[in-house]
Amino acid sequence: MKKYSIFSLARNAGNYHKDWERAWRSPDPKKEYDVVIIGAGGHGLATAYHLASKHNVTNVAVIEKGWLGGGNTGRNTTIIRSNYLQDPSMAMYELSRSLYEDLSQELNYNIMFSPRGLLMLCQTEHELRAMKRTSHANRLAGIEAEMIDPARVKELVPIINDSDDCRYPILGAYYQPRGGTARHDAVAWGYARASDARGVDIIQQCEVTGITREGSKVTGLDTTKGHIKAKKIAVVTAGNTSLVMQMAGVSMPIESVCLQALVSEPIKPVIDVVVMANTVHGYMSQSDKGELVIGGGADSYNNYSQRGSFPALEHTVTALVETFPIISRLRMLRMWGGIVDMTGDRSPIISKTDVDGLYVNCGWGTGGFKAIPGSGYVFADLIARDQPGDIAGAFGLDRFKQGRTIDESVAAAVAH
Ligand code: FAD
Ligand code: PYC
């Protein structure tokens, strides 16, 4: 990789970046690949990276209908945490959180991981009990976590309304000191550059329109850039999973709904932790630019349009005002939505299918940004060996037939 001195950086800036090397190539598709990954979100790109770097599988293409990272990966609110309740989930999300710790070094790309601490407020007796249970389970699994009292919450979040005289008073909080955030685009860009450097072809503006089979085996894909043969196909298309899997004749236990978020006008630093208030369905952190990043629950109807409804946003902000009164005086700057893929048990699907050579990774719903490094690691392993390892094993599609569901409706928080 080319190194730039401070002088060459200044020269290039004056040059409008004319001579800058592209971070990844933009190749035409080859006729055939060993593995084609559909979807260049974080999960698809991390899978490609691990196939190439850990399994030496480099004849790989990632096919993206838009631009890489333009799906949910570039639309989320970047919260990273591992406070799930069930053993398979704790293993999955803590693997991922711990991989985030060193990801900038691993990819040689600053993903701006910021383990600033994460609080889940307890605003009802029921929530307090549920969070105590989660914190015990987390500590038993070796995940750093603690319950804190209202005074400590106020210390960590001075702008919080700690009055007893409100509809949902603060009774305490679950605290994960090394939860936090990372820059979402940088995660996609870092994996893209590192995969490209290892020979992976990332093909953007190329929509998959069909999956071809011979009997029970996949043979390739029809795309807007022509037919591509593939020995293995991995579908990693989040909110579009049901549509893409239908191309191979596979029905998925997924619902697609819009999840929205918004940012306020930028203000001076007022909150340096991430706070989730799940009883009122809202959460907030502050970006490096100073915007308050705010989100809430998903829209309550199925949707593929990437545009949510105004009532869902209005409800989010209204509900948060009691907990954070200062936001009533702020102008909201912009909002956006992404289509998320929800399973019934609010846990992901990382699986082989009944079609030979067809694999699927989806169902991360409202919470898959935090899982990108771990998901890519275990999914690449499943594709390379054609069998799941210890962590992926629990998340197979067969769990819905066998009644082995992994209920994470509380931990999923905004998706419960
Ligand atoms: P995506 O990033 O959506 O990538 C899938 C890609 O597939 C897309 O780029 C799409 O264009 C492509 N594709 C689809 N169909 C085709 C086709 N036919 N041909 C070719 N390409 C196709 N998670 C957290 O952990 N923390 C959070 O704070 C958080 N906040 C969120 C806030 C919002 C508003 C939203 C919408 C989501 C949030 N999430 C959060 C969830 C998280 O963003 C997703 O779970 C995660 O990004 C999913 O990544 P992915 O790579 O699977 O999907
Ligand atoms: O999964 O932590 C999460 C989350 C927060 C906001 C949206 N998803």
Short mmCIF file of all heavy atoms in Angstrom, two decimals, residues 8 15 17 58 89 92 103 121 128 184 190-191 227 252 261 339 342 347 368 400 402 407:
data_model
loop_
_atom_site.label_atom_id
_atom_site.label_comp_id
_atom_site.label_asym_id
_atom_site.label_seq_id
_atom_site.Cartn_x
_atom_site.Cartn_y
_atom_site.Cartn_z
N SER A 8 2.83 15.25 0.38
CA SER A 8 2.04 14.72 -0.73
C SER A 8 0.55 14.85 -0.40
O SER A 8 -0.27 15.08 -1.29
CB SER A 8 2.41 13.28 -1.05
OG SER A 8 1.98 12.41 -0.04
N ASN A 15 -4.87 19.52 -5.33
CA ASN A 15 -5.11 18.89 -6.63
C ASN A 15 -6.53 18.33 -6.75
O ASN A 15 -6.83 17.58 -7.66
CB ASN A 15 -4.15 17.69 -6.70
CG ASN A 15 -3.54 17.55 -8.04
OD1 ASN A 15 -3.84 18.32 -8.92
ND2 ASN A 15 -2.68 16.54 -8.19
N HIS A 17 -7.60 15.98 -5.08
CA HIS A 17 -7.47 14.53 -4.92
C HIS A 17 -7.34 13.81 -6.27
O HIS A 17 -7.59 12.61 -6.36
CB HIS A 17 -8.66 13.93 -4.15
CG HIS A 17 -8.84 14.52 -2.78
ND1 HIS A 17 -9.93 14.24 -2.00
CD2 HIS A 17 -8.08 15.35 -2.06
CE1 HIS A 17 -9.83 14.90 -0.86
NE2 HIS A 17 -8.71 15.57 -0.88
N THR A 58 -9.99 -16.74 -2.37
CA THR A 58 -9.87 -15.37 -2.90
C THR A 58 -10.60 -15.17 -4.22
O THR A 58 -10.73 -14.04 -4.68
CB THR A 58 -8.38 -15.00 -3.08
OG1 THR A 58 -7.78 -15.99 -3.90
CG2 THR A 58 -7.66 -14.91 -1.76
N SER A 89 -26.09 -16.05 21.97
CA SER A 89 -26.01 -14.63 21.59
C SER A 89 -24.83 -13.97 22.29
O SER A 89 -24.11 -13.17 21.69
CB SER A 89 -27.28 -13.87 21.97
OG SER A 89 -28.39 -14.67 21.90
N MET A 92 -21.75 -14.80 20.47
CA MET A 92 -21.69 -14.13 19.16
C MET A 92 -21.36 -12.63 19.31
O MET A 92 -20.43 -12.12 18.68
CB MET A 92 -23.07 -14.30 18.48
CG MET A 92 -23.23 -13.62 17.17
SD MET A 92 -22.25 -14.44 15.93
CE MET A 92 -21.30 -13.07 15.36
N LEU A 103 -10.04 -3.65 15.51
CA LEU A 103 -10.35 -3.69 14.08
C LEU A 103 -9.58 -2.65 13.26
O LEU A 103 -9.18 -2.91 12.12
CB LEU A 103 -11.87 -3.52 13.87
CG LEU A 103 -12.40 -3.91 12.50
CD1 LEU A 103 -12.05 -5.36 12.15
CD2 LEU A 103 -13.91 -3.72 12.42
N LEU A 121 -31.16 2.24 30.54
CA LEU A 121 -31.88 2.74 31.72
C LEU A 121 -32.93 1.75 32.18
O LEU A 121 -33.52 1.03 31.37
CB LEU A 121 -32.58 4.06 31.37
CG LEU A 121 -31.69 5.21 30.92
CD1 LEU A 121 -32.54 6.43 30.61
CD2 LEU A 121 -30.63 5.54 31.97
N LEU A 128 -35.94 -3.14 35.68
CA LEU A 128 -34.82 -3.26 36.63
C LEU A 128 -34.50 -4.75 36.87
O LEU A 128 -33.34 -5.17 36.84
CB LEU A 128 -35.20 -2.57 37.95
CG LEU A 128 -34.12 -2.36 38.98
CD1 LEU A 128 -32.99 -1.49 38.43
CD2 LEU A 128 -34.71 -1.68 40.23
N HIS A 184 -19.72 4.01 11.13
CA HIS A 184 -20.29 2.91 10.32
C HIS A 184 -19.71 2.84 8.90
O HIS A 184 -19.33 1.76 8.45
CB HIS A 184 -21.81 2.94 10.30
CG HIS A 184 -22.43 4.27 10.00
ND1 HIS A 184 -21.74 5.35 9.54
CD2 HIS A 184 -23.72 4.68 10.12
CE1 HIS A 184 -22.56 6.37 9.39
NE2 HIS A 184 -23.78 5.99 9.74
N GLY A 190 -13.28 0.01 5.39
CA GLY A 190 -12.10 -0.72 5.85
C GLY A 190 -12.12 -2.17 5.36
O GLY A 190 -11.13 -2.69 4.83
N TYR A 191 -13.29 -2.83 5.53
CA TYR A 191 -13.40 -4.22 5.06
C TYR A 191 -13.30 -4.26 3.53
O TYR A 191 -12.73 -5.21 2.97
CB TYR A 191 -14.72 -4.85 5.52
CG TYR A 191 -14.65 -5.43 6.91
CD1 TYR A 191 -15.51 -4.98 7.91
CD2 TYR A 191 -13.75 -6.45 7.23
CE1 TYR A 191 -15.47 -5.52 9.19
CE2 TYR A 191 -13.70 -6.99 8.50
CZ TYR A 191 -14.56 -6.53 9.49
OH TYR A 191 -14.50 -7.07 10.74
N HIS A 227 -24.87 -12.82 -16.65
CA HIS A 227 -24.90 -14.03 -15.83
C HIS A 227 -23.51 -14.31 -15.26
O HIS A 227 -22.51 -14.14 -15.93
CB HIS A 227 -25.37 -15.23 -16.67
CG HIS A 227 -25.54 -16.47 -15.86
ND1 HIS A 227 -26.62 -16.67 -15.02
CD2 HIS A 227 -24.74 -17.56 -15.73
CE1 HIS A 227 -26.48 -17.83 -14.40
NE2 HIS A 227 -25.36 -18.40 -14.82
N MET A 252 -38.32 -17.43 3.55
CA MET A 252 -37.60 -17.09 4.79
C MET A 252 -38.56 -16.63 5.89
O MET A 252 -39.53 -15.94 5.61
CB MET A 252 -36.61 -15.96 4.51
CG MET A 252 -35.48 -16.33 3.58
SD MET A 252 -34.42 -17.61 4.26
CE MET A 252 -33.64 -16.76 5.63
N ALA A 261 -34.02 6.90 12.16
CA ALA A 261 -33.22 7.63 13.14
C ALA A 261 -33.15 9.08 12.69
O ALA A 261 -33.56 9.42 11.57
CB ALA A 261 -31.82 7.03 13.25
N ILE A 339 -34.35 -0.56 5.87
CA ILE A 339 -35.26 -1.71 5.98
C ILE A 339 -34.54 -2.83 6.71
O ILE A 339 -33.53 -3.35 6.22
CB ILE A 339 -35.73 -2.18 4.59
CG1 ILE A 339 -36.40 -1.02 3.85
CG2 ILE A 339 -36.69 -3.36 4.72
CD1 ILE A 339 -37.59 -0.42 4.57
N MET A 342 -36.50 -8.79 10.37
CA MET A 342 -36.82 -9.25 11.72
C MET A 342 -37.22 -10.73 11.73
O MET A 342 -38.12 -11.14 11.00
CB MET A 342 -37.99 -8.45 12.26
CG MET A 342 -37.87 -6.97 12.07
SD MET A 342 -36.83 -6.25 13.29
CE MET A 342 -38.07 -5.59 14.35
N SER A 347 -33.31 -13.02 16.80
CA SER A 347 -31.91 -13.45 16.67
C SER A 347 -31.61 -13.69 15.20
O SER A 347 -32.52 -13.96 14.41
CB SER A 347 -31.67 -14.74 17.47
OG SER A 347 -31.66 -14.45 18.83
N GLY A 368 -27.65 -5.27 13.98
CA GLY A 368 -26.54 -6.02 13.38
C GLY A 368 -25.26 -5.25 13.15
O GLY A 368 -24.24 -5.86 12.78
N PHE A 400 -36.03 -22.97 13.72
CA PHE A 400 -37.46 -22.61 13.71
C PHE A 400 -38.33 -23.87 13.57
O PHE A 400 -39.44 -23.92 14.08
CB PHE A 400 -37.76 -21.62 12.58
CG PHE A 400 -37.02 -20.31 12.79
CD1 PHE A 400 -35.87 -20.02 12.05
CD2 PHE A 400 -37.43 -19.40 13.74
CE1 PHE A 400 -35.18 -18.84 12.24
CE2 PHE A 400 -36.74 -18.21 13.95
CZ PHE A 400 -35.61 -17.93 13.21
N GLN A 402 -37.30 -26.85 14.66
CA GLN A 402 -37.07 -27.68 15.84
C GLN A 402 -37.49 -27.00 17.14
O GLN A 402 -37.35 -27.58 18.22
CB GLN A 402 -35.57 -28.05 15.92
CG GLN A 402 -35.12 -28.90 14.75
CD GLN A 402 -33.60 -28.96 14.65
OE1 GLN A 402 -32.88 -28.27 15.38
NE2 GLN A 402 -33.11 -29.77 13.72
N ASP A 407 -34.59 -16.52 22.17
CA ASP A 407 -35.41 -15.32 22.38
C ASP A 407 -34.56 -14.16 22.91
O ASP A 407 -34.08 -14.20 24.03
CB ASP A 407 -36.54 -15.65 23.37
CG ASP A 407 -37.46 -14.45 23.58
OD1 ASP A 407 -37.18 -13.37 23.01
OD2 ASP A 407 -38.44 -14.58 24.33
#
